[in-house]
Amino acid sequence: MNPDEKAVYLTFDDGPIPVITPWVVELLERNNIKATFFMVGDNVHKFSQEYMQVVEGGHRLGNHTFNHLKGLLTSTDKYIENVDQADAFIHSNLFRPPHGVLRTQQYRELSKRYQFVMWDLVTRDYSIHMYGEDVLANVKRYTRNGSIITFHDSLRSERNLRYALPRAIDWLLEQGYTFKIFD
């Protein structure tokens, strides 16, 4: 990224989910923003219509395993198999491990085929101990040029997401940020 360009990467984990993902896609469209969605393969399999809305919206896709597996609690063979199972539906060279952790051998194997995309700002929209105002405050407090901001298009995040995401987008635009997607 050009250091003189004021830009962020807006990302979403764990979808697609009915009602929530379409709402996110519509909000992004109204603001002419493209984002990257790290999708769980089982959700793509179950909710293909919502998946297609993301694709047709011109957003970037990433693999987030088929069953949202925790890498440290899963054998390397089983983990790789689960990622491959998701890839059959998602078809992306981007990968984000659920919870941001995995075994060294899992990383070595997957990095041969995927570009890993982590984050520097998790909004914590999924936390039952936070309110939408707290999530928005996290965005305002921790965003910097080049930030990879992570929200979740999930049932658990819905209440906080519906409050914080539109306000975060408005704030980011007011601050002069543009929105990028990964190559």
Side-chain angles (χ1 to χ4, degrees):
M1 176 184 302
N2 179 346
D4 298 326
E5 182 179 22
K6 196 170 182 181
V8 294
Y9 296 85
L10 198 54
T11 69
F12 296 88
D13 285 5
D14 302 345
I17 298 293
V19 180
I20 301 163
T21 303
W23 176 81
V24 169
V25 170
E26 289 168 19
L27 178 63
L28 294 173
E29 186 175 312
R30 279 197 309 271
N31 288 280
N32 198 30
I33 294 170
K34 299 298 180 203
T36 305
F37 288 77
F38 289 91
M39 296 187 167
V40 173
D42 190 41
N43 289 341
V44 173
H45 173 68
K46 290 189 285 194
F47 308 118
S48 59
Q49 182 177 340
E50 289 77 8
Y51 167 78
M52 286 310 301
Q53 284 181 288
V54 174
V55 171
E56 290 167 0
H59 301 284
R60 188 74 161 87
L61 304 177
N63 187 325
H64 201 49
T65 74
F66 192 81
N67 298 109
H68 203 264
L69 292 185
K70 294 181 179 179
L72 296 179
L73 302 178
T74 309
S75 73
T76 296
D77 289 344
K78 190 174 228 51
Y79 194 82
I80 302 297
E81 182 181 303
N82 199 267
V83 171
D84 289 343
Q85 188 179 2
D87 186 58
F89 292 93
I90 299 167
H91 312 295
S92 174
N93 69 325
L94 301 181
F95 180 75
R96 175 177 284 168
H99 310 284
V101 294
L102 66 169
R103 296 171 185 260
T104 303
Q105 190 57 36
Q106 293 164 344
Y107 173 78
R108 280 192 196 121
E109 291 299 316
L110 291 171
S111 64
K112 295 174 187 174
R113 297 184 281 149
Y114 291 95
Q115 175 186 339
F116 275 67
V117 177
M118 300 305 269
W119 59 84
D120 66 297
L121 197 171
V122 176
T123 62
R124 300 195 63 227
D125 54 348
Y126 53 81
S127 174
I128 61 170
H129 303 291
M130 294 185 72
Y131 294 97
E133 294 88 345
D134 303 316
V135 173
L136 178 60
N138 284 340
V139 172
K140 290 180 176 182
R141 185 177 306 124
Y142 297 112
T143 297
R144 59 179 169 53
N145 189 35
S147 279
I148 300 171
I149 303 169
T150 301
F151 283 95
H152 296 78
D153 53 332
S154 67
L155 293 174
R156 195 160 134 187
S157 301
E158 183 176 14
R159 177 181 54 88
N160 288 337
L161 181 70
R162 285 186 184 273
Y163 178 88
L165 182 59
R167 289 164 178 84
I169 288 171
D170 289 345
W171 181 82
L172 290 163
L173 290 169
E174 287 166 10
Q175 300 304 305
Y177 285 102
T178 60
F179 295 85
K180 297 279 196 182
I181 58 173
F182 298 93
D183 296 330

